[in-house]
Amino acid sequence: MTDSVSRFTRRSALRLLGGAVAVVAAATGGFAPASRAHARDGRGPGARVEALLARLTLDEKISLLHGATDPRPLGQAGYVPGVARLGIPPLRLADGPAGVRVTRHATALPAPVLLASAFDPDLARRYGQVIGREGRALGQDVLLSPMVNLIRTPYAGRNFETFSEDPLLSAHLVAAEIEGIQGEGLIATVKHFALNNQERDRTSVDVRVDERTLHETELRGFEAAVAAGTGAVMGAYNKVNGTFACENAELLTRVLRERWGFTGWVMTDWSAAHSTREALMAGLDMEMPDGTHFGTPLASAVRDGGVPERYVDRAVRRVLTVLDRFGLLGGTVPQRPDRDAKAGAAVAREVAEAGATLLRNAHGTLPLAEGGSVAVIGPTGARPLVSGGGSAHVVPERADSPLDVIRSRAARVTYALGEDAFGKPLPASALDPAFDTEAQRVDAGRTWTYDGTLTVPDAEAGDDWTFVLHYSGTPPLRPKVLLDGEELFPLVPGWDEYFMGGLLTHAADGLSVRRKTWKPAGGPHRLSVTAQGGDTGQLLRLRRITSATRAQDVAEAVRAARSARDVVLFAYEDAIEGRDRTTIALPGNQDRLIEAVTAANPRTTVVLNTSSATSMPWLQRTGAVLQMYYPGQEGAAATAAVLFGDRDPGGRLTQSFPADDDHHPVAGDPRRYPGVDGTEQYTEGVHVGHRWYDAEDVPPLFPFGHGLSYTTFAYADPEARWTADGLDIAFTVRNTGPRDGVAVPQVYAGPAPDLRLDQPVRVLAGYRRLSLRAGEQRRVTVHVEPRTLSSWDPKVHGWVLGTGPRTLWIGASSRDARLRTSVRVGG
């Protein structure tokens, strides 16, 4: 950790010297083969790029500024054709927050939020190395990752794809991951610039934020990514202060280029361009995935004199400069490595174990005894929830189930589903005429129709019926199901139709799944189904979930819980790009399931495979709660290693967990989320995440930085010293328990009395991850760079150091201070 912090200090110093120095720093970072490419023809990077630019025709230039159809697709997200006659290769761009998303198998790494929970930039760097190597091995040139938008609302559907609610931690981790990715020769793309902190209305919402809040919160991670040399930046869908992010000159030029010295290229998120001239002149360089605005319209605008060609040259120059830096110009492309699946799996398991976060452990519930009796409950106990949905979904060669791994460790294991998300067969008596609702086949080239009656018993009238459709067709061939004339499963517009979840959108046999909840009246209802066989035929199932089927599942789980010494109950929440959550409660019947199981057996450990913060009305009844998020392909082995005590749970929360839907930073204020009349206001200012809980004196369910160990730690002897390079805080950490374990001491700094600005009660200033043997103690020093002790002053449009006496807290979370001291900051 200290090495990472010292790198940030040096980068910050370079930035203060001006954009030119930052440009040099960026140009010399990243992939080493670029220098070998320069040596081949004796020209420096600038000369080679200018020579190519002079030889390109206008049409060739414009072809480099937008996506196109790949003639040999590898299942990646985007493609930019090269110019073969000049040795400019095509580019393939792949999604990759948690692994490379193509048609071939790839290592499914744990979700970035689980990586972040380790509080370990060095681990983030190795995580990036796995993705970088695999991306190159799988034929990719650009990675559409990492994401560094802050976790601002617990409802955001992509919280699992990013790191934290805290600007400092996010900055450290994104820089380290980019160094890992690009060190393997894959171009990284930090996203989504900026303020894409929710999925709801993401393509239209206007985010209103003041200058200070923007720089002190959301932008810090992006600035760190630029300092780390990221090759590309992806613009966000949303507007920022009235202007779409992908044509926002304040962001794309004045902040990104002029203030930070970024020399790479800026691309849109997919279909996030809204103009031609305005976007190009504001600083956008590339439109993806096609040329709606940067294709023919741009060529016409240049020829008609509406857009000066120098702006096209500027964008092309930025793209070529990055390609040259990565050794992709000059006619030869650096040799692609072989994929190392074994090494990728080892890192995936290490990350999942390191990020495993133990939230509660009462009465010695964990670790589990080897060879005992265990009841495993929950669908993600038997079927691993590897990754979230959308562009983050990765399919590995294999992923064991927790149930199988636990069976190898315990003497007796029983299993109960507990929560059936895929439905039970419709009773044959409910349909007239009857048809095979479990395996209705439609031959290729044929169309099958059903027109009949579904009768709902009077006893089930007004109940929540959930229809569950399973089908094998691709989206346009999804079976059409009408109930009383209403279509239950209409196609979703845009890209969201093609974003599949990690668990709920596919049955165990691979069929796609859709659901629709309905409150039926008793008696007959008209049911119509139409399904097309297409070129290969189609299989469909139609099922339902009701209160009665849920009660059956719970009763089975209670019987299993009573029969075992320990229970491990796997609870889930299946997040997906393009859709926000509507509550932080667990979906479906899971809260009632946990209440029933814990009443039957208090030695119940709840393992949470969720995307973000979760409310826990059942918390005090549980023996233990282990947060595993989406743990990747090695999640089963990692979860078992922590449950049985092979590994100490070393993760800590990178986001505050609110008690319920009424007590968090955006609760009760629709202006903050999801917005009113298309406008969202960041009125919380600099008080994001844990800072808001401190400012409002609201107790979270679990605070930022919280996480338990199987041992205990003591902190002592704090010393703080201000130097010309920042602040050094030294203290001693001792393992006072009987087991080896992991401590993550955190340093928080109070406000500066010399600044006449609204300041947080405390900010995260630094942290260390330590592995200590039983009885071991270690003297550690956490370095805090001046930027962390500074505030953005809108009067001078820059950073101002918070001088004067400042209080420092050292502890195990934002709400668990073990030591307190003070230091005078400044001369």
Side-chain angles (χ1 to χ4, degrees):
M1 170 56 204
T2 50
D3 290 342
S4 299
V5 172
S6 65
R7 278 191 288 271
F8 284 106
T9 303
R10 290 192 291 273
R11 292 190 189 111
S12 298
L14 285 174
R15 284 195 298 271
L16 293 176
L17 295 178
V21 176
V23 168
V24 173
T28 56
F31 189 42
S35 60
R36 294 197 292 270
H38 301 163
R40 283 197 297 268
D41 63 8
R43 288 183 291 182
R48 181 172 25 259
V49 167
E50 294 304 320
L52 284 172
L53 192 58
R55 297 176 64 191
L56 286 165
T57 67
L58 176 62
D59 288 338
E60 287 172 336
K61 293 174 187 177
I62 289 176
S63 74
L64 296 174
L65 302 184
H66 65 83
T69 300
D70 189 346
R72 296 189 301 276
L74 302 177
Q76 79 279 3
Y79 174 80
V80 177
V83 180
R85 73 179 185 89
L86 297 179
I88 301 173
L91 296 177
R92 289 182 170 87
L93 302 85
D95 291 316
V100 183
R101 186 173 181 259
V102 292
T103 50
R104 289 175 59 189
H105 291 302
T107 301
L109 292 159
V113 70
L114 183 55
L115 165 70
S117 300
F119 278 69
D120 188 347
D122 289 332
L123 186 59
R125 188 172 295 104
R126 287 190 285 121
Y127 182 99
Q129 287 170 347
V130 170
I131 299 177
R133 180 184 177 117
E134 288 210 343
R136 292 272 302 143
L138 294 172
Q140 303 304 302
D141 307 289
V142 182
L143 182 76
L144 304 173
S145 184
M147 174 178 173
V148 76
N149 300 105
L150 293 183
I151 297 175
R152 176 177 177 263
T153 166
Y155 303 126
R158 302 181 79 174
N159 282 348
F160 68 95
E161 289 188 56
T162 192
F163 300 110
S164 173
E165 68 187 20
D166 187 82
L168 176 71
L169 180 61
S170 297
H172 288 175
L173 296 174
V174 74
E177 184 180 341
I178 286 171
E179 289 169 356
I181 293 165
Q182 297 195 155
E184 298 297 318
L186 191 68
I187 300 168
T189 307
V190 67
K191 64 184 185 183
H192 310 85
F193 192 60
L195 300 167
N196 184 180
N197 304 118
Q198 66 188 57
E199 293 300 280
R200 184 168 172 177
D201 302 325
R202 66 176 181 172
T203 61
S204 60
V205 68
D206 182 7
V207 180
R208 299 299 177 105
V209 62
D210 65 83
E211 178 184 332
R212 183 179 174 217
T213 298
L214 181 64
H215 281 273
E216 286 197 29
T217 60
E218 177 83 353
L219 291 191
R220 183 155 189 186
F222 288 99
E223 185 180 7
V226 170
T230 188
V233 171
M234 179 186 289
Y237 282 118
N238 50 276
K239 297 176 183 177
V240 177
N241 293 330
T243 303
F244 280 108
C246 287
E247 54 188 50
N248 192 306
E250 177 64 29
L251 287 175
L252 302 186
T253 295
R254 285 183 281 279
V255 172
L256 186 61
R257 302 285 183 186
E258 296 173 2
R259 178 169 289 276
W260 297 346
F262 177 60
T263 59
W265 86 81
V266 177
M267 72 179 77
T268 67
D269 204 336
W270 267 224
S271 301
H274 294 270
S275 64
T276 300
R277 184 180 187 275
E278 293 82 356
L280 183 69
M281 297 183 73
L284 182 69
D285 304 307
M286 181 182 290
E287 178 188 12
M288 296 300 297
D290 54 30
T292 300
H293 298 281
F294 274 26
T296 300
L298 179 55
S300 299
V302 173
R303 291 189 173 105
D304 295 345
V307 172
E309 190 169 351
R310 68 178 183 273
Y311 287 101
V312 172
D313 290 348
R314 181 181 70 175
V316 173
R317 182 180 293 110
R318 291 166 176 172
V319 174
L320 294 181
T321 296
V322 177
L323 301 193
D324 196 47
R325 174 182 152 199
F326 281 77
L328 299 178
L329 299 181
T332 61
V333 174
Q335 183 176 357
R336 295 188 183 274
D338 294 328
R339 179 169 172 254
D340 191 340
K342 184 177 180 180
V347 172
R349 177 163 178 175
E350 182 182 0
V351 170
E353 291 175 351
T357 307
L358 185 60
L359 300 178
R360 173 178 166 84
N361 191 21
H363 315 300
T365 299
L366 293 180
L368 299 177
E370 198 81 30
S373 64
V374 180
V376 176
I377 296 170
T380 50
R383 184 178 170 199
L385 181 44
V386 173
S387 62
S391 58
H393 190 59
V394 179
V395 180
E397 287 98 345
R398 46 159 288 280
D400 294 333
S401 75
L403 176 60
D404 289 339
V405 178
I406 292 172
R407 277 176 172 156
S408 71
R409 304 289 299 267
R412 184 171 67 86
V413 177
T414 56
Y415 174 72
L417 182 61
E419 168 80 357
D420 187 352
F422 296 95
K424 301 286 196 282
L426 283 165
S429 60
L431 295 170
D432 183 23
F435 74 94
D436 187 359
T437 59
E438 280 296 285
Q440 182 62 52
R441 297 188 181 277
V442 184
D443 293 335
R446 304 295 295 273
T447 298
W448 174 83
T449 61
Y450 172 85
D451 195 355
T453 300
L454 170 69
T455 300
V456 176
D458 290 339
E460 297 182 15
D463 187 13
D464 281 339
W465 269 54
T466 298
F467 280 95
V468 187
L469 173 69
H470 301 220
Y471 61 98
S472 61
T474 54
L477 295 181
R478 180 190 304 163
K480 188 173 184 178
V481 181
L482 281 78
L483 189 66
D484 294 333
E486 178 186 352
E487 188 171 354
L488 296 184
F489 310 105
L491 291 175
V492 180
W495 294 102
D496 293 348
E497 177 61 44
Y498 299 90
F499 286 152
M500 297 299 180
L503 176 75
L504 296 182
T505 58
H506 285 90
D509 60 358
L511 295 190
S512 298
V513 176
R514 291 293 185 271
R515 298 168 184 80
K516 177 70 173 182
T517 299
W518 172 57
K519 286 185 179 292
H525 299 268
R526 184 179 177 185
L527 178 67
S528 300
V529 184
T530 303
Q532 298 177 357
D535 294 334
T536 59
Q538 180 160 200
L539 173 67
L540 69 92
R541 290 191 289 262
L542 189 60
R543 295 180 171 181
R544 95 301 192 202
I545 302 170
T546 67
S547 294
T549 66
R550 293 188 184 99
Q552 294 171 4
D553 292 335
V554 171
E556 178 190 6
V558 167
R559 287 193 294 271
R562 286 174 176 159
S563 69
R565 179 180 185 271
D566 294 287
V567 176
V568 181
L569 191 157
F570 288 83
Y572 70 90
E573 176 256 322
D574 197 27
I576 186 170
E577 178 181 351
R579 184 173 66 240
D580 280 353
R581 305 156 80 189
T582 58
T583 175
I584 61 171
L586 291 170
N589 199 47
Q590 292 182 97
D591 279 342
R592 288 187 289 274
L593 169 67
I594 296 172
E595 288 169 356
V597 168
T598 52
N601 188 335
R603 290 187 60 83
T604 295
T605 296
V606 176
V607 178
L608 293 169
N609 292 132
T610 55
S611 69
S612 189
T614 304
S615 59
M616 305 179 198
W618 33 260
L619 178 64
Q620 296 306 316
R621 297 184 183 183
T622 63
V625 178
L626 179 64
Q627 177 64 251
M628 291 299 298
Y629 299 105
Y630 302 146
Q633 68 179 55
E634 303 301 318
T639 301
V642 173
L643 290 174
F644 285 93
D646 305 340
R647 296 289 184 270
D648 196 49
R652 303 296 184 265
L653 291 181
T654 69
Q655 57 190 299
S656 307
F657 274 34
D660 51 44
D661 285 304
D662 298 324
H663 298 87
H664 55 74
V666 300
D669 189 346
R671 297 172 304 163
R672 290 186 181 178
Y673 176 86
V676 176
D677 296 330
T679 299
E680 181 182 39
Q681 300 179 23
Y682 282 34
T683 55
E684 70 271 26
V686 298
H687 305 287
V688 296
H690 58 91
R691 302 176 184 180
W692 179 88
Y693 289 90
D694 289 340
E696 300 297 326
D697 196 24
V698 174
L701 179 65
F702 292 110
F704 174 89
H706 172 74
L708 304 176
S709 167
Y710 291 147
T711 187
T712 55
F713 299 95
Y715 301 76
D717 304 325
E719 292 180 342
R721 184 170 62 94
W722 174 255
T723 71
D725 195 33
L727 185 62
D728 288 326
I729 302 104
F731 52 94
T732 299
V733 183
R734 183 164 61 94
N735 183 341
T736 56
R739 300 171 58 102
D740 298 350
V742 175
V744 184
Q746 301 147 45
V747 176
Y748 295 86
D754 294 350
L755 284 182
R756 297 296 180 259
L757 295 168
D758 179 33
Q759 298 174 69
V761 174
R762 60 183 65 85
V763 298
L764 178 69
Y767 52 90
R768 285 291 298 274
R769 181 181 177 89
L770 304 170
S771 295
L772 297 177
R773 297 184 302 274
E776 182 184 1
Q777 72 175 30
R778 190 177 307 168
R779 187 73 174 169
V780 298
T781 299
V782 172
H783 180 77
V784 181
E785 62 175 334
R787 168 64 63 83
T788 302
L789 301 170
S790 300
S791 294
W792 182 271
D793 189 341
K795 292 182 179 179
V796 300
H797 306 293
W799 294 96
V800 178
L801 181 64
T803 57
R806 301 188 66 166
T807 302
L808 303 172
W809 294 268
I810 302 163
S813 78
S814 65
R815 291 292 182 102
D816 184 7
R818 308 288 180 87
L819 301 173
R820 178 172 174 166
T821 187
S822 63
V823 67
R824 177 170 289 278
V825 171

